[in-house]
């Protein structure tokens, strides 16, 4: 999961094949919420973690997390789909 001491709401991670997708929302000064997603795979020294931070803002932490998870799932499907 993304380590972020400012997090408000995390959705449960989603596992697709070797990928673990975890979302995190972060409060903004405007009172809205930013979204970010972690897409991790592998273990130990062979592990990788891609973190994406989005420019969109959301009215609730849950909406931000839902968006982030959807984007993570989309990335995994694009990365693992037919070439």
């Amino acid at each position: 999961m993304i380590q972020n001491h400012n997090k408000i709401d995390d959705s449960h991670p989603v596992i697709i094949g070797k990928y673990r997708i975890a979302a995190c929302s972060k409060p903004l000064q405007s009172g809205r919420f930013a979204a970010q997603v972690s897409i991790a795979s592998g273990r130990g020294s062979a592990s990788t973690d891609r973190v994406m931070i989005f420019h969109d803002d959301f009215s609730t932490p849950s909406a931000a997390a839902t968006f982030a998870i959807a984007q993570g799932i989309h990335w995994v499907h694009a990365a693992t789909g037919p070439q």
Side-chain angles (χ1 to χ4, degrees):
M1 189 148 317
I2 298 171
Q3 297 298 314
N4 183 338
H5 297 290
N6 295 322
K7 68 185 173 184
I8 296 296
D9 179 52
D10 285 353
S11 63
H12 296 287
V14 173
I15 306 296
I16 299 176
K18 67 178 185 174
Y19 296 98
R20 181 176 183 271
I21 304 166
C24 181
S25 59
K26 182 177 178 182
L28 300 171
Q29 289 182 342
S30 66
R32 294 180 61 85
F33 298 87
Q36 59 188 38
V37 66
S38 164
I39 305 168
S41 65
R43 291 188 173 269
S45 63
S47 68
T48 62
D49 189 6
R50 174 181 303 270
V51 176
M52 292 182 265
I53 301 169
F54 303 101
H55 293 283
D56 298 339
D57 60 0
F58 301 88
S59 60
T60 66
S62 179
T66 298
F67 176 83
I69 289 288
Q71 294 302 308
I73 291 170
H74 176 76
W75 185 92
V76 168
H77 285 284
T80 60
Q83 302 297 325

